Amino acid sequence: MRSSPARFDRGHTDDLMTFLAASPSPYHAVANTADRLEKAGFEQLDETAAWDGTAGGKYVIRAGAIIAWYVPEGAAPHTPFRIIGAHTDSPNLRVKPRPDSGAHGWRQVAVETYGGTLLNTWLDRDLGLAGRLTLRDGTHRLVNVDRPLLRVPQLAIHLDRQANEGLKLDRQRHMQPIWGLGDDVREGDLIAFVAGEAGVAADDVAGWDLMVHSVEAPAYLGRDRELVAGPRMDNLLSVHAGAAALAAVAALDDLAYIPVLAAFDHEENGSESDTGAQGPLLGTVLERSVFARGGGYEDRARAFAGTVCLSSDTGHAVHPNYAERHDPTHHPRANGGPILKVNVNQRYATDGSGRAVFAAACEKAGVPWQTFVSNNDMPCGTTIGPITAARHGIRTVDIGVAILSMHSARELCGADDPFLLANALTAFLRD
C-alpha cells in the first residue's frame, strides 16, 4: 500500500500521443483503457454474472463504454463515490450499412457524418478505417486499417472560384471518400476487404461499426514543442487522464471514497443509448457495487448523496484570429492548466460548491486552473455533466482542457495541459 500517488509530467503527454494513435474508434479506446487498468491490477466483471463485494479494482465494458472503479479494503456499503466522467467518441465519418458505392470510374465508400463534424478538415487527407466487426457467433473483432486507404477529394479551385469565399459542403454528395478505381462496384467488396484485414472470413461477418480516421500521427508542434497536434483529443485526452488517475490512486492508503472512471459513448450525438450518459449504465454499476457490499436502498441513497463527479471534456482556448468570438473576460490559454466550465443555463453543471471542489483539487495538486464561459452571443455546447447530475442526482462539475480546432480531424492543445489535468484528477480522487 502507498500513501501518495505518483506525479505526472511530460511523459504523460508522450503516452497520450501513443494512446490517441492506438485508439481510432471508441472500441479501441475502451480496449486500450482496459489494458492499462489490467496492468494496474484491475479485473473485468461480466454484467450477466453475480458480483461480490471484495476489495480491489474492477471494470465493465459495454461496446464503446467502460466503467472502472476501485473498492478499498473495508469500504462500507454507503461509501460515496468520486467519479471522473468522460466520453470515448469523436465526430467523424462512419460507414453505412451498404457501403459499396461509386461513379464515373471511381470506387467510393458510402459514409454518414457522425456528431458535429468540422467537415472541411476531412478533405484531402489520407484516411484509414477502423472499428469492430460482429461475427455470426455474436463475438466481436477489432480492426484497424491504419494506412492511407481513403480520401475525400476537394473540388479544384478552377471549378469553384468562390471556394475561398466560403466553402459549402453537402454531407450526402460531397463527403463520400474514394478508395480505388473501377466501374464494377460490387456489393460486399469493402466488408470482404476489412474482414481480410481482421483475419476473418467475410461470410462470418454479420454486422459492422466502422469509421474513418486520419492516419497522420500525433506530434509535438511549435518552436519549443510546447503544443500537441493530434486526433480525437475531444475526448480521449480526458479518458486517458482519467484512467491514469484511477490507476494512480488504486491501492493507496486511507481512501475516503470509491474512485470511478466512467467513459461513455455517443456524447457527440446526445448520449441517448445504452452506452451513453443518458442510459442507465453508470447508475446500474454504482448500485450493484453498493448491493454487492451488503448494502440496501438506504446505503445507495447515502452513497449517491455524498458522491461528486468531475465531468471532464475539452473546451475552447481563446483563438488568436477570432478573439471576438470569446467572452472578453474569460480567455483560457494553452498550458494554463485545466478549465472550469460554467454556464448558468445548465449547459454545464458547475455551481459555486462544485467550483470549490475543483479549486481544492487543483490546489492540492499544485496545478493552475482557468475558467471558461461562453460569449453571450454564442450558443454554448454541453457535455455529459448536466446529464449525469439530472439522471443520478449526483453533484457534478464540468471541467476539461482548453484546445483549438475542436471537432476537427486534428485538434491542438498545450503539451503541459494533459498532465496538469491528470494531476488534478488524481488529487480529486485521492482527497
Side-chain angles (χ1 to χ4, degrees), residues 18-34:
T18 300
F19 183 77
L20 293 174
S23 305
S25 77
Y27 314 107
H28 289 83
V30 164
N32 290 323
T33 300

Side-chain angles (χ1 to χ4, degrees), residues 313-316 340-351 372-374 380-383 385-386 396-399 406:
D313 203 347
T314 55
H316 301 293
L340 179 73
K341 302 162 78 171
V342 178
N343 179 264
V344 295
N345 294 302
Q346 291 301 295
R347 301 292 284 173
Y348 303 130
T350 305
D351 63 8
F372 171 80
V373 180
S374 288
C380 180
T382 190
T383 70
T396 303
V397 189
D398 277 298
I399 67 161
M406 188 185 295

